Amino acid sequence: MKNEPTFLEILLTKIAFYFYGKSVYKSFADRLPLNGGERVLDFGCGMGTVAYYAAKKLTHGHLTCMDISGRWLNACRSTLRDYENISYILCESPDLEDECFDIVYCHFVLHDISKSELEKTVPALINSLRTGGVFAFREPLNEADKLKVIKDLTEKNRLILKESRVTDIPLMGNALESLYVKQ
Ligand SMILES: C[S@@+](CC[C@H](N)C(=O)[O-])C[C@H]1O[C@@H](n2cnc3c(N)ncnc32)[C@H](O)[C@@H]1O
């Protein structure tokens, strides 16, 4: 089915998670401003690589894992089976309440989305953040066109850049990691 990973893709991602879980996914989760009680959205959660580390910190908060793929979402359910404060949403494009999250993050997701879809998706994600909330993403640096679209959309939608860095991700190369705050 369209948007669904093959068995091999899921297997390779599980292997990458096993070897690079801490250096890649935990390092991103550790830079999110999580104190434990936040309402967080992982948009394009995949098998829950980042969600696994975010969920550990959300001792009295809530994590929503959203993905376009039922297979990835099932893999995510399995990764997060020990946690109860998680919702799973299968979606084509995000249909979210306004201001219902403190943090929204996307990890290697936005570059997969067409420019025209990004123009709907990014504002919808930002609308779902409360004022003062945080929008964070990490996307491949070589996707310059998509990064420009994302940057323009963040500026148009009341976000202020707070932190930005380039990280070298094993097997994937350099990635831009940015954290914005909603005004
Ligand atoms: C490269 S994977 C990254 C998964 C995970 N965030 C990680 O870093 O391991 C991209 C994920 O984004 C999801 N995705 C792509 N387009 C999407 C969309 N329009 N809405 C929601 N999820 C989407 C894919 O199904 C896939 O799970």
Side-chain angles (χ1 to χ4, degrees), residues 67-119:
D67 206 284
I68 200 170
S69 150
R71 257 188 215 168
W72 277 130
L73 217 50
N74 281 340
C76 186
R77 276 196 185 89
S78 162
T79 306
L80 301 181
R81 60 190 172 280
D82 293 338
Y83 299 92
E84 285 177 358
N85 53 339
I86 323 270
S87 312
Y88 301 90
I89 302 180
L90 182 63
C91 78
E92 183 84 18
S93 52
D95 177 17
L96 298 162
E97 268 176 53
D98 287 355
E99 313 215 348
C100 61
F101 294 112
D102 302 299
I103 299 177
V104 171
Y105 68 84
C106 308
H107 192 263
F108 283 93
V109 178
L110 299 174
H111 72 281
D112 265 352
I113 299 179
S114 70
K115 283 189 198 174
S116 59
E117 273 303 307
L118 277 179
E119 281 168 8

Side-chain angles (χ1 to χ4, degrees), residues 36-165:
E38 292 80 7
R39 298 156 302 163
V40 180
L41 172 65
D42 182 331
F43 180 72
C45 57
M47 64 160 277
T49 47
V50 176
Y52 177 77
Y53 294 103
K56 276 182 194 284
K57 295 188 166 200
L58 286 171
T59 46
H60 52 290
H62 190 88
L63 177 63
T64 301
C65 292
M66 187 175 263
D67 206 284
I68 200 170
S69 150
R71 257 188 215 168
W72 277 130
L73 217 50
N74 281 340
C76 186
R77 276 196 185 89
S78 162
T79 306
L80 301 181
R81 60 190 172 280
D82 293 338
Y83 299 92
E84 285 177 358
N85 53 339
I86 323 270
S87 312
Y88 301 90
I89 302 180
L90 182 63
C91 78
E92 183 84 18
S93 52
D95 177 17
L96 298 162
E97 268 176 53
D98 287 355
E99 313 215 348
C100 61
F101 294 112
D102 302 299
I103 299 177
V104 171
Y105 68 84
C106 308
H107 192 263
F108 283 93
V109 178
L110 299 174
H111 72 281
D112 265 352
I113 299 179
S114 70
K115 283 189 198 174
S116 59
E117 273 303 307
L118 277 179
E119 281 168 8
K120 291 182 246 163
T121 301
V122 172
L125 295 176
I126 296 171
N127 277 343
S128 75
L129 271 177
R130 68 163 169 83
T131 303
V134 165
F135 179 64
F137 63 81
R138 192 193 249 170
E139 300 292 339
L141 198 58
N142 60 8
E143 295 276 359
D145 288 358
K146 296 277 177 76
L147 288 172
K148 168 91 172 65
V149 173
I150 298 163
K151 182 172 176 284
D152 291 347
L153 288 166
T154 55
E155 279 166 10
K156 263 194 216 157
N157 286 275
R158 295 166 48 206
L159 291 188
I160 298 287
L161 183 63
K162 198 175 161 216
E163 283 171 28
S164 201
R165 71 181 73 219

